[in-house]
Amino acid sequence: MKATSRNENQLLPYETIEAATRGDITAINSVLAHFDGDIATLATRTLYDEHGCPCQYLDPELKRRLETKLIVRVLKFKLG
């Protein structure tokens, strides 16, 4: 299946993914950095002030939870 939101120049190198699945901290940090924008988008909430005006807010707790889920899934991922 071809990715629609990222082109091939934006994909993580296979070696990085392989190292991340083995628990390499540097590789895991690269994976987190690669998906940081997506995670931030998912962790952004709309709050409303006392006048009813919307305000975007990055929920740090939700961001940490999403990062943790990504790390767990990467460590469970089986290549090949």
Side-chain angles (χ1 to χ4, degrees):
M1 179 179 226
K2 204 157 177 104
T4 56
S5 63
R6 299 181 195 279
N7 64 33
E8 289 185 20
N9 294 333
Q10 296 174 318
L11 297 177
L12 283 169
Y14 178 83
E15 295 79 18
T16 302
I17 296 168
E18 182 180 38
T21 61
R22 286 184 276 122
D24 181 284
I25 300 295
T26 304
I28 291 172
N29 284 333
S30 294
V31 172
L32 287 172
H34 182 78
F35 289 105
D36 187 59
D38 297 312
I39 291 171
T41 298
L42 291 170
T44 299
R45 300 287 174 233
T46 302
L47 301 176
Y48 297 90
D49 65 13
E50 63 274 0
H51 304 291
C53 297
C55 176
Q56 298 293 317
Y57 166 73
L58 179 63
D59 184 342
E61 175 64 25
L62 180 54
K63 185 175 186 221
R64 280 192 301 278
R65 288 175 47 207
L66 291 169
E67 290 170 339
T68 301
K69 285 185 176 213
L70 178 58
I71 292 168
V72 169
R73 297 303 290 174
V74 165
L75 292 173
K76 289 182 179 181
F77 189 74
K78 302 294 181 213
L79 295 172

